[in-house]
Amino acid sequence: MGDRNKRPVILLKVPSSDDYYGSALRSHNLDPIFITPSHFVFKNLKQLQAKLLEPHKYAGIIFASPRCVQAVNEALGKTPLPSCWRALHNYSLGKNTHSAAWLTFQNLSTLGDHAVNANNLCDLIVETFGPKRDLPLLMPCGNGVGQTLRLRLVAQGFRVDACEVYESRSHPDFVNQMRHALKFKRMETIVFFGPSSVRSSLEFFGNYNVSLKDRKLIAVGSGTRKAMEESGMQANGVVDAADVDHLINIIKT
């Protein structure tokens, strides 16, 4: 499972052929071990489809993640997004989600490409929406995704129709891969990517009596840190997803 002369580090994220985390860690004498913590399952797509076919009942749509875009596309099947949505107040959280909506729905324009979190997007919606808030915003979301944004918008007087259309489940290979990786005596660092990695790990740690006392636990992103804190796990460091140098520094100190 990698170079025995390098210090192993578990990265709880989906591996990819061009993952810059892997190349950066290997260049610093670290041995990254990628373990996919969870996979996503769509649900309630029929209900979502019915809502999407009635744009006149909504003020607009909010895409909280690229997977929300994918869920809408799955719900529509071979049917294009009704054109009436284009004239409404449509938002996306972050550049990746914005790009996904643009490409998937034939150049659907959304605001929010510069928003980095739910608070940023909420502020943008408040600034751009206008005073009339009679109709709800449709917000397809996942379990554990979109709650902060929904609560903030409701507090600002918006109506939000949150439709849970996907959920995360532990990956079927997660337990075996974690058990194998933790056999390394030098396996002292675990890096968590996203709340789903925290949920899968918490269940694993409990079922197999894994001690975290002498391990370094690192959260990538504030949402991951919050999920760790709520689960009773203390993060030894928090890094931004784009700051791999900071991640390496925390691992090596």
Side-chain angles (χ1 to χ4, degrees):
M1 181 184 285
D3 190 336
R4 293 181 180 277
N5 295 319
K6 294 184 176 183
R7 188 199 308 179
V9 178
I10 290 179
L11 301 181
L12 295 178
K13 72 185 300 289
V14 178
S16 62
S17 58
D18 59 347
D19 197 296
Y20 63 93
Y21 285 97
S23 57
L25 267 64
R26 282 187 286 269
S27 69
H28 285 79
N29 204 40
L30 299 169
D31 179 21
I33 299 171
F34 291 90
I35 297 178
T36 303
S38 61
H39 65 141
F40 292 88
V41 179
F42 291 119
K43 62 181 184 179
N44 300 327
L45 294 186
K46 286 292 185 183
Q47 293 93 318
L48 176 60
Q49 181 188 51
K51 297 173 187 292
L52 292 167
L53 296 179
E54 296 183 317
H56 60 281
K57 292 185 176 180
Y58 293 94
I61 189 168
I62 301 172
F63 298 104
S65 71
R67 191 159 282 108
C68 295
V69 174
Q70 187 180 356
V72 168
N73 195 42
E74 290 283 336
L76 290 170
K78 296 181 180 180
T79 306
L81 183 71
S83 59
C84 291
W85 283 104
R86 297 182 181 276
L88 303 181
H89 297 277
N90 301 317
Y91 299 91
S92 56
L93 178 52
K95 183 177 180 180
N96 291 340
T97 309
H98 171 85
S99 298
W102 176 268
L103 295 171
T104 303
F105 303 121
Q106 294 76 49
N107 304 341
L108 177 68
S109 179
T110 61
L111 299 177
D113 55 319
H114 295 298
V116 297
N117 56 43
N119 291 328
N120 290 157
L121 186 57
C122 180
D123 292 340
L124 176 66
I125 294 173
V126 171
E127 292 171 7
T128 59
F129 195 87
K132 191 175 181 180
R133 301 175 183 177
D134 298 335
L135 294 176
L137 286 159
L138 177 60
M139 189 172 75
C141 56
N143 61 329
V145 177
Q147 181 74 349
T148 299
L149 178 58
R150 185 187 68 81
L151 291 175
R152 279 213 58 194
L153 287 171
V154 170
Q156 292 288 337
F158 289 92
R159 295 171 59 197
V160 181
D161 184 358
C163 182
E164 189 170 299
V165 292
Y166 69 88
E167 63 182 8
S168 63
R169 298 177 184 174
S170 291
H171 193 277
D173 297 328
F174 179 70
V175 168
N176 287 337
Q177 290 182 357
M178 283 291 283
R179 291 183 70 184
H180 185 49
L182 291 174
K183 289 179 180 178
F184 283 71
K185 292 183 178 179
R186 294 183 300 150
M187 184 59 70
E188 61 183 34
T189 304
I190 303 175
V191 185
F192 297 83
F193 290 79
S196 62
S197 69
V198 177
R199 289 191 292 269
S200 295
S201 299
L202 187 67
E203 181 179 1
F204 171 80
F205 295 151
N207 289 343
Y208 292 91
N209 298 316
V210 177
S211 174
L212 302 178
K213 182 179 179 181
D214 297 319
R215 302 188 193 278
K216 185 178 293 184
L217 309 180
I218 302 173
V220 176
S222 58
T224 307
R225 177 189 60 185
K226 182 180 179 182
M228 291 177 68
E229 291 174 349
E230 291 175 348
S231 300
M233 285 191 283
Q234 181 65 44
N236 299 104
V238 183
V239 301
D240 183 78
D243 197 349
V244 68
D245 291 332
H246 187 199
L247 173 62
I248 292 170
N249 287 337
I250 294 178
I251 293 171
K252 302 194 77 169
T253 54

